[in-house]
Amino acid sequence: MDFSVKKLASGAGVFFTRAVQFTEEKLGQAEKTELDAHFENLLSRADSTKNWTEKILRQTEVLLQPNPSARIEEFLYEKLDRKIPSRITNGELLGQYMVDAASEFGPGTSYGSTLIKVGEAQRRLGAADRDFIQSSMINFLTPLRNFLEGDWKTILRERRLLENRRLDLDASKTRLKKAKAAEAKAACEGEATPDFQETRPRNYVLSASASAAEQELRVAQTEFDRQAEVTRLLLEGISSTHINHLRCLHEFVEAQATYYAQCYQYTVDLQKLLGSSDGEMFPGAFVGETNTQVPPSGVSPSAATIPVVPAVVGPCNPSAPSMTFTEVSPPSTGTRKARVLYDYDAADSSELELLADELITVYSLPGMDSDWLMGEKGNKKGKVPVTYLELLN
């Protein structure tokens, strides 16, 4: 019990001494031992590494999981040391919805079969997304988090201990300075009034006090130097941390490249699959015919194919200039209105630039590819891709 009281009192005394030294330094009443420039650079580099690592970690988590509620849930599972439950990705959920819709609409219908194809592709995209998230979590986020929760906490602990050793050292310097000043003052007073019976014991006490302060200063200096060396070695280890994070960054980029390559391949395969089945789902669509037929009764005019103006047969005049697509007048019949689905940038002057949701007039011309129609809006004419249009009448 006595030992505990003495230890508590000693700790309280040390804490009070450090607090007094810190306060006097802030007020400019005490000198402060400054660290060398190299050490200060190491401290600044370590602080920058911690700050930017933390920002990169947090933003990468946002990139991999945009849902803040899901991130909070995962954080709580980690703090409770519980396994994070497997969560279906948005792509996989969309694919499941499409497949379920196809089963209700009928997988034998054109819409149902297309839903199945697109849904399966979305499932594969979602699975690739999940693999990318898992790979990034293991190879990139985990090393960054280990640095912040492991190495950085060790550096902080040693830095706080170094600061305490520095306060003890400066407090010892202050005590020694005061003891020497008191000893010098007593010596001056003793010379002025040489009364040996009074000044001798006092000088002995002051001399012992100065000697104790010198011994205390030597111990404090030794402990400070030892702690400064330990902290310096930890701070120099930041270079190894950078090398490790560099390797993790390369792995993150590789995983990202693999993920986007898979997504591109899946979408290209899906596009080819849907393109090969367009002829079966839409027979005769957008294909020009040489004769115009009246649709049978009971069939709405919108179901008829777009008529094509037959080519004029006559003697060829070599001297007459050839006419371009934009110089040909639209036929009096067979024009249709169409709504633009997506923005389209014209590749050259023969094509028409499109904006999403605008209405244009379209018609077909002899010899045109089935993937193109002539479009007209205002005084502008040009070819437009069929896949960017939705015919309205």
Side-chain angles (χ1 to χ4, degrees), residues 65 67-87:
Q65 179 52 266
N67 188 349
S69 300
R71 292 200 304 272
I72 294 175
E73 181 183 355
E74 293 175 357
F75 175 77
L76 293 177
Y77 273 104
E78 289 180 0
K79 292 302 180 183
L80 296 175
D81 292 331
R82 297 179 60 183
K83 183 179 180 181
I84 300 176
S86 178
R87 182 180 290 107

Side-chain angles (χ1 to χ4, degrees), residues 1 6 12 17-19 26-27 34 99 163 167 179 205 220 223-224 230 294 303 306 333 337 344 349 362 365 387:
M1 181 66 181
K6 290 180 180 179
T17 302
R18 292 171 180 171
K26 292 299 182 182
L27 297 176
E34 299 293 341
V99 173
E163 179 65 12
L167 290 173
V205 171
E223 292 181 352
F224 172 77
V230 172
V294 179
I306 301 176
T333 60
K337 292 291 184 181
Y344 178 74
S349 59
V362 295
L365 291 179
T387 54

Side-chain angles (χ1 to χ4, degrees), residues 22-313:
F22 180 81
T23 303
E24 290 179 349
E25 289 176 357
K26 292 299 182 182
L27 297 176
Q29 299 176 357
E31 296 181 359
K32 176 181 177 181
T33 300
E34 299 293 341
L35 301 171
D36 59 86
H38 176 65
F39 202 98
E40 291 290 348
N41 290 334
L42 291 177
L43 289 174
S44 176
R45 187 162 176 254
D47 290 335
S48 298
T49 301
K50 180 262 180 183
N51 292 334
W52 286 112
T53 300
E54 199 170 41
K55 290 181 179 179
I56 293 172
L57 172 66
R58 297 292 176 259
Q59 192 57 37
T60 306
E61 290 176 339
V62 173
L63 173 67
L64 299 179
Q65 179 52 266
N67 188 349
S69 300
R71 292 200 304 272
I72 294 175
E73 181 183 355
E74 293 175 357
F75 175 77
L76 293 177
Y77 273 104
E78 289 180 0
K79 292 302 180 183
L80 296 175
D81 292 331
R82 297 179 60 183
K83 183 179 180 181
I84 300 176
S86 178
R87 182 180 290 107
I88 188 172
T89 62
N90 293 328
E92 291 174 313
L93 185 60
L94 175 60
Q96 185 62 45
Y97 286 165
M98 288 183 174
V99 173
D100 293 343
S103 63
E104 183 171 345
F105 297 148
T109 63
S110 298
Y111 183 42
S113 62
T114 303
L115 277 173
I116 292 177
K117 296 174 184 177
V118 178
E120 292 298 332
Q122 295 301 322
R123 282 179 172 177
R124 289 193 290 270
L125 290 171
D129 186 21
R130 186 177 62 253
D131 293 341
F132 169 60
I133 292 175
Q134 292 178 350
S135 176
S136 301
M137 290 286 292
I138 296 173
N139 298 325
F140 186 60
L141 292 185
T142 299
L144 297 185
R145 191 176 290 110
N146 288 341
F147 165 73
L148 293 175
E149 297 179 355
D151 295 347
W152 179 249
K153 288 185 177 180
T154 302
I155 292 175
L156 281 183
R157 184 174 62 251
E158 297 301 328
R159 285 177 64 176
R160 285 194 295 266
L161 188 56
L162 176 63
E163 179 65 12
N164 291 335
R165 294 287 181 264
R166 202 267 311 161
L167 290 173
D168 294 341
L169 175 62
D170 290 337
S172 299
K173 290 180 179 179
T174 301
R175 282 193 292 270
L176 178 60
K177 185 177 181 180
K178 291 180 179 179
K180 287 185 176 181
E183 186 178 12
K185 182 179 179 181
C188 293
E189 292 176 353
E191 292 177 359
T193 58
D195 187 352
F196 295 101
Q197 293 181 350
E198 293 183 1
T199 60
R200 191 173 178 183
R202 182 181 176 188
N203 291 340
Y204 177 78
V205 171
L206 291 174
S207 178
S209 177
S211 177
E214 290 179 354
Q215 178 63 25
E216 182 183 357
L217 176 60
R218 285 193 293 270
V219 174
Q221 184 69 54
T222 301
E223 292 181 352
F224 172 77
D225 293 340
R226 184 187 303 114
Q227 184 59 37
E229 181 65 18
V230 172
T231 307
R232 183 184 63 81
L233 291 175
L234 288 175
L235 293 175
E236 290 178 348
I238 293 294
S239 298
S240 300
T241 300
H242 285 187
I243 295 175
N244 183 38
H245 289 181
L246 175 63
R247 178 182 57 81
C248 298
L249 188 62
H250 278 279
E251 293 182 358
F252 173 71
V253 173
E254 289 294 333
Q256 199 171 36
T258 302
Y259 166 64
Y260 285 119
Q262 289 177 336
C263 292
Y264 174 76
Q265 189 60 48
Y266 292 154
T267 51
V268 167
D269 293 343
L270 175 62
Q271 190 178 33
K272 292 180 180 179
L273 183 62
L274 296 181
S276 63
S277 58
D278 282 346
E280 300 177 0
M281 292 186 295
F282 307 107
F286 312 123
V287 179
E289 299 179 359
T290 57
N291 58 338
T292 303
Q293 298 180 356
V294 179
S297 59
V299 179
S300 62
S302 60
T305 57
I306 301 176
V308 179
V309 178
V312 178
V313 180

Side-chain angles (χ1 to χ4, degrees), residues 3-19:
F3 174 76
S4 300
V5 172
K6 290 180 180 179
K7 186 176 181 181
L8 181 62
S10 176
V14 171
F15 177 79
F16 178 75
T17 302
R18 292 171 180 171

Side-chain angles (χ1 to χ4, degrees), residues 344-391:
Y344 178 74
D345 295 330
D348 51 46
S349 59
S350 66
E351 298 180 5
L352 190 64
E353 189 166 339
L354 304 177
L355 296 176
D357 296 328
E358 68 177 343
L359 297 177
I360 63 173
T361 302
V362 295
Y363 51 91
S364 179
L365 291 179
M368 287 188 65
D369 191 282
S370 60
D371 294 333
W372 296 84
L373 288 174
M374 283 299 297
E376 181 177 335
K377 60 174 182 177
N379 296 326
K380 297 182 180 180
K381 300 178 184 178
K383 298 190 300 180
V384 293
V386 173
T387 54
Y388 281 69
L389 304 176
E390 178 186 5
L391 298 179

